[in-house]
Amino acid sequence: MKTLLLNVKGWLYRLSSKSYLNRKIVLCYDLFFSLVCCFVSLWKTSTAPSSSFFYWKPLFIIAMLCINLLGFLFLSLRLKTYRQIFRYSSMRVLRYGVLLVFYTSLISMLCATLILIGVGRSIVVQEILFFGFFYFILEFSLFVLGRYLLISLARWVLQNRFTRLQTKKKILVYGVQENSVALSRQLKNNTEYSVVGFCTRDKEKSNYQVDGLPIFCIHGEKDLEQLAESYSLDGIVFPAECDFLHERTGFIYLCESINLHTYLMPTMSECSTLKVASASIQRIRIEDLLMRDEIKSAREEVCKELTGKVVLVTGAAGSIGSELVKQIAKLNCVKRLVLFDNAETPLHNIRLHLEKEYPSLALDPIVGDVRSQSRLRYLFERFHPEIVLHAAAYKHVPLMEENPCESVLVNVIGTKNIADLCLAYNVEKMVMISTDKAVNPTNVMGASKRAAEIYVQSLGRLIATGVRPEKTIFVTTRFGNVLGSQGSVIELFRRQIAEGGPITVTDPEVERYFMSIPEACSLILQASTLATQAQIFVFDMGEKHKIVDLAKNMIRLAGFEPDKDIKIVYTGLRPGEKLYEEVLASKENVDATTIDKIKIAKIRPMEYSEIIDKYDQLLTLSKRVEILQTVKVLKELVPEYKSAHSQFEALDKVSKPNLI
């Protein structure tokens, strides 16, 4: 019974959502009422007082009805009165209706007269005129006035409610909470979405209505498929992040598997306008499903830290650097923002974006390389930055494993150049952006970032112990993979899906942590406000995700079936790649801060005097491109660095690494 009722409701909905009335239905309507009017007119004339005609004779009635039907049909086809689209019609259609009824009346009167003459009956003009006039009045009422009502009805119903249904997306709103109802009301009359009803997993709310719309209870895949087919649904919209995060492990993928798109309203308020509400709805992406709870931004603290200061961002055209400069520009508190990068086109693009969005911002894009001491000295001499955010780095593990000398020159020596100049020009604070791969590194990239951490922290120790008089605070931030970054696995999978597959995964057991770029950059800026001395801050990366599960979910979100429509191929771990990323922070090796997602790492201190010779060796060897010697010195500087699946495994000692 439930299935039957659902099918009937769906049929009625589809019928009511047609954008026009079928012309055959309109023509049949006209012909039927023309016959009714003719029959009633004959009966009325025959029952009039002193009637001398045999209007009520069966043969005469049949003949008149046939003549009326043929005449009305002929005139309708000629005048095309049945082919009007009512919601676009005007009162000018009445002119054709009057002509149709008038000519039909004349034909009927003429034929009645000829039939009476043919059978030898006398003609009473008054009765012929009465028949024709009565028919005209009835047909005018049922056709012309009825047509006017159809026009009005079509404009009210079809235009205001259903005309755009075929172009609008038919959606269900998830849940029956206050925000669900508010979203439904905001989307009630917009041009993009048509709310069919609400869906819930709560059985007790089934078969009820909210705000005139039905509530559908979805128990499983069968219910969802039947509902989508019956109502021609395009998707389901979630009114808030907490709703879709609650359903992210199954229900959303179930929707996508039957080609039912899922949408998200990121923010919602009663006072938001219809335009804002409609424009805010977006397709749910894999990035959304990997999100955590919303960050509480410490805007006031960051503004206090940056207000009236010259801020330098290295690697400003990269994934992290570009988001940092956008967030800083949005704060509208810095004295000057200096962008430094060696990538010309991306730097030009971020400059255009900032100049358009923040025309009053004092902005200086500088092309240069962190490996060039002279270029960096010019930069510091010209702008005298007070806050330095160092995001410039090489980060691709396999590529750096094949080019270790370049990795050392940029990640180690480049960071050393920046840090030395921060001391020389009395910079207040330098924030270095590191990576979780610096924890017990298994590849050149991670080891080079750990070497950079060691150097800046050793400079901080010199200041803390009074060896150096400068006051520069060196801050290091560590976090894992960021969603949407250049070279991100998400973008790789997205391209592979677009090409029809296959998707390449290194190993079925590989796991990674993920964080969005905006969240990472927000935490970087917040961490900079916490530091009062040289410290390494690690970010809470949340849950870890298997890469193969990520690939399967992306395939489902694209509307395909994993290993059926798009294959997943395992290629094996790449040089230097870990199977599992290590947890950045645990209770044993971190201290808490005032921000839940930021911890302070407890690290083994290293003295500047003990390590400076290693950096001089790294500079000399990497410039000479002496690959094995460069990596060997890097391993001496970072004793916990043990190569994995790499040509440099032969350089490792048997001794157990000292974990940091």
Side-chain angles (χ1 to χ4, degrees):
M1 179 60 69
K2 179 182 176 182
T3 302
L4 178 61
L5 289 175
L6 190 60
N7 289 334
V8 170
K9 286 182 180 180
W11 179 81
L12 290 174
Y13 184 84
R14 290 194 299 274
L15 180 64
S16 65
S17 64
K18 295 294 184 183
S19 61
Y20 56 87
L21 290 175
N22 188 286
R23 63 184 64 176
K24 295 179 181 179
I25 295 176
V26 176
L27 181 59
C28 290
Y29 165 87
D30 291 341
L31 292 174
F32 173 75
F33 280 104
S34 176
L35 291 175
V36 171
C37 291
C38 182
F39 181 83
V40 172
S41 298
L42 290 172
W43 172 78
K44 187 66 177 176
T45 305
S46 66
T47 58
S50 304
S51 176
S52 58
F53 299 115
F54 54 107
Y55 288 106
W56 200 241
K57 298 296 182 181
L59 290 177
F60 180 73
I61 293 173
I62 293 173
M64 286 299 298
L65 290 178
C66 291
I67 291 169
N68 178 270
L69 179 65
L70 293 174
F72 195 93
L73 178 60
F74 173 76
L75 291 171
S76 295
L77 294 175
R78 292 286 295 178
L79 296 174
K80 297 181 174 59
T81 54
Y82 65 97
R83 301 185 68 175
Q84 299 293 327
I85 299 178
F86 296 131
R87 68 186 189 279
Y88 299 133
S89 300
S90 67
M91 291 302 295
R92 285 183 293 181
V93 72
L94 298 181
R95 183 181 67 178
Y96 297 102
V98 170
L99 291 175
L100 174 62
V101 176
F102 179 73
Y103 288 142
T104 304
S105 300
L106 288 180
I107 292 173
S108 297
M109 288 190 295
L110 178 61
C111 290
T113 301
L114 293 176
I115 291 173
L116 292 174
I117 294 175
V119 297
R121 304 289 295 188
S122 60
I123 303 299
V124 180
V125 177
Q126 292 88 337
E127 293 184 350
I128 295 294
L129 292 176
F130 179 82
F131 164 74
F133 177 76
F134 197 85
Y135 172 81
F136 181 87
I137 294 299
L138 282 179
E139 187 63 24
F140 182 84
S141 300
L142 294 175
F143 177 83
V144 181
L145 294 181
R147 201 59 64 95
Y148 171 76
L149 293 176
L150 284 174
I151 292 172
S152 302
L153 183 64
R155 286 180 175 174
W156 180 70
V157 178
L158 295 176
Q159 185 174 11
N160 293 338
R161 179 163 181 158
F162 300 122
T163 53
R164 291 188 294 267
L165 282 180
Q166 290 187 340
T167 57
K168 291 162 65 173
K169 293 182 176 69
K170 301 184 186 71
I171 59 174
L172 293 176
V173 176
Y174 180 86
V176 289
Q177 297 84 8
E178 184 178 346
N179 57 359
S180 304
V181 178
L183 175 58
S184 170
R185 290 173 179 172
Q186 286 194 319
L187 298 177
K188 195 170 186 179
N189 295 313
N190 78 85
T191 59
E192 296 181 41
Y193 302 95
S194 172
V195 179
V196 174
F198 300 88
C199 66
T200 180
R201 311 295 288 275
D202 188 353
K203 298 179 181 179
E204 295 181 358
K205 296 179 181 178
S206 180
N207 298 322
Y208 285 89
Q209 286 192 346
V210 174
D211 203 26
L213 294 173
I215 300 174
F216 303 103
C217 182
I218 300 174
H219 302 294
E221 182 178 357
K222 185 178 180 181
D223 289 341
L224 186 61
E225 285 182 333
Q226 193 173 64
L227 188 63
E229 182 179 355
S230 298
Y231 285 82
S232 301
L233 294 177
D234 293 296
I236 294 178
V237 60
F238 291 82
E241 290 180 2
C242 59
D243 295 316
F244 87 84
L245 286 176
H246 177 69
E247 296 285 5
R248 63 180 174 175
T249 56
F251 182 65
I252 289 177
Y253 298 124
L254 176 62
C255 293
E256 296 290 344
S257 68
I258 63 172
N259 202 29
L260 191 63
H261 298 321
T262 45
Y263 302 91
L264 170 65
M265 170 68 77
T267 57
M268 183 70 193
S269 66
E270 290 288 350
C271 60
S272 59
T273 64
L274 176 64
K275 181 178 180 181
V276 171
S278 179
S280 297
I281 294 179
Q282 302 171 349
R283 279 290 308 277
I284 288 179
R285 306 168 301 160
I286 192 67
E287 292 94 326
D288 299 319
L289 299 178
L290 298 176
M291 287 170 54
R292 283 90 57 72
D293 295 335
E294 185 179 359
I295 317 165
K296 294 180 180 178
S297 177
R299 179 186 175 92
E300 292 183 3
E301 289 79 0
V302 175
C303 276
K304 184 179 179 181
E305 179 79 15
L306 301 181
T307 296
K309 295 178 181 178
V310 178
V311 178
L312 166 64
V313 180
T314 69
S319 303
I320 296 295
S322 61
E323 178 63 25
L324 278 173
V325 299
K326 288 176 184 176
Q327 292 193 15
I328 293 171
K330 189 175 182 180
L331 294 173
N332 192 28
C333 63
V334 299
K335 179 181 179 181
R336 181 171 295 276
L337 185 56
V338 183
L339 316 183
F340 187 74
D341 206 293
N342 67 347
E344 175 197 12
T345 300
L347 185 61
H348 174 67
N349 292 337
I350 191 65
R351 174 188 191 173
L352 293 178
H353 172 80
L354 294 176
E355 288 178 342
K356 178 183 177 182
E357 298 295 326
Y358 312 99
S360 61
L361 175 67
L363 182 68
D364 291 283
I366 305 297
V367 177
D369 197 314
V370 293
R371 290 171 290 192
S372 173
Q373 286 183 317
S374 58
R375 185 59 171 165
L376 288 174
R377 188 170 296 280
Y378 161 80
L379 181 69
F380 277 76
E381 183 65 33
R382 178 180 172 184
F383 297 105
H384 289 276
E386 296 160 273
I387 303 291
V388 174
L389 302 174
H390 179 48
Y394 282 151
K395 59 185 179 182
H396 295 291
V397 170
L399 195 59
M400 292 305 100
E401 203 69 16
E402 297 168 1
N403 300 273
C405 293
E406 290 303 305
S407 180
V408 167
L409 283 173
V410 171
N411 294 352
V412 182
I413 305 304
T415 301
K416 179 179 180 298
N417 292 338
I418 294 287
D420 289 342
L421 287 170
C422 285
L423 280 182
Y425 285 85
N426 296 311
V427 171
E428 292 181 14
K429 190 172 292 185
M430 173 186 169
V431 181
M432 175 197 162
I433 297 164
S434 188
T435 172
D436 60 345
K437 294 175 177 61
V439 181
N440 296 329
T442 59
N443 50 70
V444 171
M445 194 282 287
S448 66
K449 295 297 285 185
R450 176 60 191 141
E453 289 181 0
I454 291 172
Y455 185 79
V456 297
Q457 292 301 305
S458 69
L459 288 183
R461 185 168 177 80
L462 288 180
I463 296 171
T465 56
V467 177
R468 296 289 297 262
E470 293 87 348
K471 301 297 182 182
T472 302
I473 298 175
F474 291 96
V475 183
T476 300
T477 60
R478 282 183 187 166
F479 52 91
N481 299 280
V482 288
L483 298 167
S485 65
Q486 298 173 10
S488 167
V489 68
I490 302 292
E491 298 305 317
L492 173 63
F493 288 170
R494 197 164 275 146
R495 288 195 300 270
Q496 291 176 335
I497 291 172
E499 294 169 357
I503 279 185
T504 55
V505 177
T506 55
D507 190 281
E509 298 302 320
V510 168
E511 293 180 337
R512 294 291 182 266
Y513 294 93
F514 289 97
M515 177 181 286
S516 70
I517 294 177
E519 180 181 9
C521 292
S522 177
L523 291 176
I524 290 169
L525 294 176
Q526 291 183 56
S528 69
T529 68
L530 299 175
T532 56
Q533 59 182 344
Q535 291 171 315
I536 294 180
F537 293 96
V538 295
F539 298 163
D540 174 14
M541 295 297 296
E543 301 174 359
K544 56 186 176 181
H545 301 271
K546 276 194 173 184
I547 298 300
V548 65
D549 292 339
L550 187 68
K552 291 178 180 178
N553 291 336
M554 287 190 68
I555 293 172
R556 293 190 184 99
L557 284 173
F560 301 104
E561 187 66 27
D563 291 320
K564 181 179 179 182
D565 301 316
I566 294 181
K567 300 293 183 182
I568 297 177
V569 176
Y570 299 103
T571 59
L573 291 174
R574 298 172 297 180
E577 188 174 27
K578 290 182 179 181
L579 193 62
Y580 307 101
E581 293 290 1
E582 299 183 59
V583 179
L584 292 178
S586 64
K587 293 180 181 179
E588 291 77 19
N589 61 7
V590 297
D591 292 326
T593 69
T594 56
I595 301 175
D596 291 338
K597 292 181 180 291
I598 302 177
K599 309 295 181 184
I600 301 173
K602 297 176 182 178
I603 61 169
R604 173 169 53 88
M606 299 186 74
E607 298 297 335
Y608 179 85
S609 58
E610 297 175 359
I611 62 173
I612 186 60
D613 289 343
K614 298 295 182 185
Y615 290 92
D616 293 337
Q617 293 177 42
L618 285 175
L619 174 60
T620 302
L621 293 170
S622 57
K623 278 188 174 182
R624 293 176 180 172
V625 197
E626 296 185 17
I627 296 176
L628 288 178
Q629 287 301 314
T630 299
V631 176
K632 182 179 179 181
V633 173
L634 190 60
K635 286 179 177 291
E636 293 172 358
L637 181 62
V638 186
E640 67 271 22
Y641 165 32
K642 300 298 178 182
S643 298
H645 315 290
S646 171
Q647 59 177 320
F648 304 119
E649 289 181 84
L651 298 174
D652 292 329
K653 296 179 181 180
V654 179
S655 61
K656 186 177 180 180
N658 298 317
L659 301 182
I660 294 180

